């Protein structure tokens, strides 16, 4: 059991580090960060940002090894649906919002040769 707990701490630390890297990257790209780690009854959204005329809901996936595949593959249909529901509740709470919304994924791979950040804009469409 202790082994799992240490692994979980390691994953959480990797996730936090990835979110920090993603936020720095998004800011450099001109995004304005509105909120981080937004939670409601439907789930969590890692980053909510503004990019020109759009509200952007960003999922950050970080991998320290290729053992489990590319980071972005972890954003499957179930995760997309949870994000869509959480984002809809977020948008309903904003009065007078007439902006577009989209879902981006920031995939971060850490390995011996360095860091690779891939930003997938408008990564998926959802139907609720």
């Amino acid at each position: 059991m202790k082994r799992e707990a240490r692994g979980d701490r390691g994953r959480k630390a990797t996730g936090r580090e990835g979110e920090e890297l993603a936020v720095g990257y998004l800011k450099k790209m001109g995004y304005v960060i509105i909120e981080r780690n937004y939670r409601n009854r439907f789930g969590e959204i890692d980053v909510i940002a503004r990019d020109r005329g759009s509200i952007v809901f960003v999922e950050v996936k970080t991998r320290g090894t290729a053992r489990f595949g590319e980071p972005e593959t972890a954003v499957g249909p179930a995760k997309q649906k949870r994000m869509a529901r959480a984002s809809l509740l977020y948008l309903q709470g904003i009065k007078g919002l007439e902006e577009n919304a989209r879902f981006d994924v920031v995939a971060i791979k850490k390995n011996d040769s360095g860091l690779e950040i891939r930003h997938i804009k408008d990564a998926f469409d959802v139907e609720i």
Side-chain angles (χ1 to χ4, degrees):
M1 191 64 118
K2 287 185 179 184
R3 185 176 188 156
E4 289 176 8
R6 271 185 265 145
D8 189 44
R9 279 196 301 263
R11 281 190 299 275
K12 286 183 180 182
T14 299
R16 281 191 301 273
E17 182 182 357
E19 285 182 20
E20 289 296 326
L21 291 166
V23 164
Y25 168 84
L26 291 169
K27 285 180 177 179
K28 285 181 186 175
M29 300 304 293
Y31 287 58
V32 176
I33 307 303
I34 299 170
E35 197 158 345
R36 294 178 62 179
N37 303 113
Y38 169 79
R39 290 180 188 270
N40 63 33
R41 68 179 182 252
F42 295 116
E44 178 185 356
I45 299 171
D46 294 330
V47 180
I48 301 173
R50 186 177 311 280
D51 177 37
R52 298 182 182 96
S54 296
I55 295 285
V56 184
F57 299 97
V58 183
E59 177 68 13
V60 179
K61 287 296 179 189
T62 307
R63 294 283 189 263
T65 176
R67 184 171 148 194
F68 297 107
E70 297 298 316
E72 59 271 23
T73 61
V75 187
K79 177 64 178 174
Q80 293 172 17
K81 190 171 185 176
R82 285 192 304 274
M83 280 185 71
R85 287 181 171 165
S87 64
L88 184 58
L89 192 58
Y90 176 85
L91 291 170
Q92 288 172 345
I94 300 174
K95 302 286 185 226
L97 180 71
E98 294 184 16
E99 295 180 274
N100 295 318
R102 71 171 195 256
F103 298 94
D104 288 6
V105 173
V106 175
I108 300 172
K109 282 180 25 179
K110 296 169 31 179
N111 53 42
D112 295 336
S113 60
L115 208 60
E116 179 183 343
I117 299 176
R118 287 190 308 276
H119 180 193
I120 304 157
K121 291 184 178 183
D122 209 6
F124 58 89
D125 293 318
V126 292
E127 291 183 31
I128 299 176

